[in-house]
Amino acid sequence: MTDNDVPGLQRRLVEFAAARDWQPYHTPKNLAAALSVEASELLEIFQWLTPEQAERVMEDPGTAHRVADEVADVLAYLLQFCAVLGVDPLAALAAKIDRNEVRFPVRRRGGVDGEGDPADHRHSSE
């Protein structure tokens, strides 16, 4: 394991918080709230962009840096949340993908008759 794999990053985050006596504040509720705030800050970057502008957001170095920072913040809080609750994030994701492959079998858009059920096109996180 290195410092850049999931367990290594989680260890570094735990050590960072411990060195600053932040553990009392790193409760599941607080970490979930912080995760939501950071995800909102990521969304804020894209809030008023057209789809075309959003696709090119990484072309501007300043905006690219902001996006990368917010992605890092979201991931940091998610990894800390998982560490506190004992959730293996990679195992949880693999299990979710497995369930979604069963729940949402591959179908052509529009179904066989071209109509299809709009409910069949839900997002996989549902």
Side-chain angles (χ1 to χ4, degrees), residues 53-118:
Q53 290 169 323
E55 289 174 9
R56 295 188 314 270
V57 74
M58 299 306 282
E59 293 173 9
D60 175 68
T63 306
H65 179 74
R66 288 179 54 215
V67 169
D69 272 357
E70 295 307 334
V71 166
D73 289 342
V74 168
L75 184 57
Y77 279 117
L78 179 60
L79 292 178
Q80 290 174 90
F81 179 82
C82 289
V84 165
L85 291 179
V87 173
D88 177 336
L90 298 182
L93 177 57
K96 182 67 173 187
I97 293 169
D98 290 345
R99 287 191 306 275
N100 284 340
E101 287 173 340
V102 172
R103 286 183 65 206
F104 304 104
V106 176
R107 294 188 183 141
R108 285 194 322 251
R109 203 168 218 158
V112 174
D113 60 6
E115 293 298 315
D117 182 351

Side-chain angles (χ1 to χ4, degrees), residues 40-50:
S40 295
E41 289 179 8
L42 178 61
L43 176 60
E44 181 182 29
I45 296 168
F46 295 88
Q47 184 173 7
W48 303 114
L49 300 182
T50 65

